[in-house]
Amino acid sequence: MKFGVNTVTAVFVAGVVGGLALTPDGRAWLRSPTLMLGGHANASASPPAAETPAAAPAPAQPVVQVQDASGLKAKAGNLRVGVFGDSMGDGVWAALYREFRNDASVEVTKFSEVSTGLSRYDYVNIQAKTQRQLDETPVDVAVVVFGTNDAQGIDEGGTIHDFGTPGWKAAYGRRIDDLVGLFQSRGVVVYWVGMPRMKRDGFDGRMAIVNEVVEARMKALGVPYIETVSLTSDTSGDYMPYAEVGGRRKLMRANDGIHMSMDGYLRLAGPVEAAIRRDAGLAE
């Protein structure tokens, strides 16, 4: 059977559209197409609530040790920093790579991937993926930046936890604990970066829920939580697209009101860089 060019093209386009529809970044791109998914993709709201089956017994919380960063000083001559996360993680990686580029003793590697997160393990299982990444490329420090795609329900063994519910918060917290536990089992020091202020009130509220769970888990685990809402808000506490840097007014945010400009990512990465340098005993 022969297929014309138009038929083949239609099949290809249908496949691409179907793939994009699987993730918040992809669905948002379909609403407002752009060639720069990493910098201008628009994360979406959570999908319609699914019918929730009877709750299954919650899995036991993993045993996670309180973090000890004292060993970083011994590795200061050959410090391997990995950035794990979503598209926001891509930007933080770029900023950290730039800030450490003149430090021959520090290597910064990107492990982040757009359209991923801790809610949709049916799409990309971050726990399994991170384990593979650490097996292939060990690191001493993990900078973690997840959240822009996580305002979605979590399927936990057939039980659907709708976003923002107590069940969702508990399930999301377990996935955070699992990921931190994986890093700590490899002797990796973790720094978790929170989500910044968002332009749209509805999305900002969803990211506030994500930040609430993350901050609580980091406090419980003794892991540094890098809060970024204050860094990305003006004096009134509102969304801040521009900021004064070195006496100049610079653009901080991308057009989607979610991601950052390069100057914005440098702003987010500043406290992370300072924490790593402090704990590893590196010169400023």
Side-chain angles (χ1 to χ4, degrees):
M1 181 182 297
K2 294 184 179 180
F3 295 95
V5 173
N6 289 339
T7 301
V8 173
T9 301
V11 171
F12 172 76
V13 170
V16 171
V17 171
L20 287 170
L22 289 175
T23 70
D25 281 348
R27 291 194 294 273
W29 187 90
L30 288 172
R31 292 196 297 272
S32 181
T34 171
L35 294 178
M36 298 183 64
L37 284 176
H40 294 82
N42 201 356
S44 73
S46 55
E51 184 177 349
T52 304
Q61 288 279 10
V63 177
V64 183
Q65 301 297 321
V66 174
Q67 176 162 274
D68 178 10
S70 60
L72 286 188
K73 291 186 178 180
K75 301 174 182 178
N78 183 28
L79 191 64
R80 301 165 298 180
V81 178
V83 182
F84 301 79
D86 51 26
S87 52
M88 195 75 73
D90 282 0
V92 171
W93 165 78
L96 286 175
Y97 183 89
R98 174 174 167 174
E99 294 301 276
F100 282 111
R101 68 187 182 278
N102 294 324
D103 292 81
S105 61
V106 181
E107 178 183 7
V108 183
T109 303
K110 186 178 86 70
F111 296 95
S112 52
E113 180 184 353
V114 299
S115 300
T116 60
L118 304 186
S119 290
R120 289 289 303 276
Y121 278 13
D122 59 315
Y123 175 58
V124 175
N125 186 317
I126 291 299
Q127 186 74 13
K129 177 185 176 183
T130 304
Q131 182 170 331
R132 291 193 300 271
Q133 290 173 322
L134 294 176
D135 288 342
E136 296 169 359
T137 312
V139 298
D140 306 304
V141 172
V143 177
V144 186
V145 196
F146 281 113
T148 56
N149 302 302
D150 284 345
Q152 305 187 66
I154 293 177
D155 183 347
E156 195 174 49
T159 299
I160 307 299
H161 302 290
D162 295 333
F163 174 72
T165 61
W168 182 92
K169 292 179 180 180
Y172 196 68
R174 283 189 285 273
R175 291 189 174 181
I176 291 170
D177 286 3
D178 286 343
L179 190 57
V180 172
L182 172 61
F183 286 126
Q184 292 184 338
S185 72
R186 307 294 182 94
V188 178
V189 174
V190 181
Y191 300 88
W192 201 296
V193 182
M195 291 292 99
R197 173 77 67 196
M198 299 297 177
K199 185 175 183 179
R200 290 186 288 120
D201 289 342
F203 191 67
D204 188 56
R206 291 191 283 276
M207 292 302 97
I209 293 173
V210 170
N211 282 342
E212 172 194 341
V213 177
V214 171
E215 184 173 12
R217 294 315 308 148
M218 294 307 106
K219 182 178 180 180
L221 302 174
V223 171
Y225 171 70
I226 312 298
E227 180 270 326
T228 64
V229 171
S230 62
L231 292 175
T232 52
S233 303
D234 61 20
T235 55
S236 300
D238 296 325
Y239 175 82
M240 182 177 68
Y242 292 88
E244 293 291 328
V245 180
R248 297 177 59 188
R249 187 169 182 261
K250 293 190 175 182
L251 179 67
M252 293 287 109
R253 306 304 292 259
N255 292 335
D256 61 8
I258 296 173
H259 297 89
M260 315 295 295
S261 67
M262 191 63 237
D263 283 312
Y265 283 121
L266 288 169
R267 191 177 184 88
L268 294 190
V272 186
E273 179 198 0
I276 294 172
R277 289 187 181 277
R278 178 198 66 218
D279 292 343
L282 296 171
E284 292 290 340

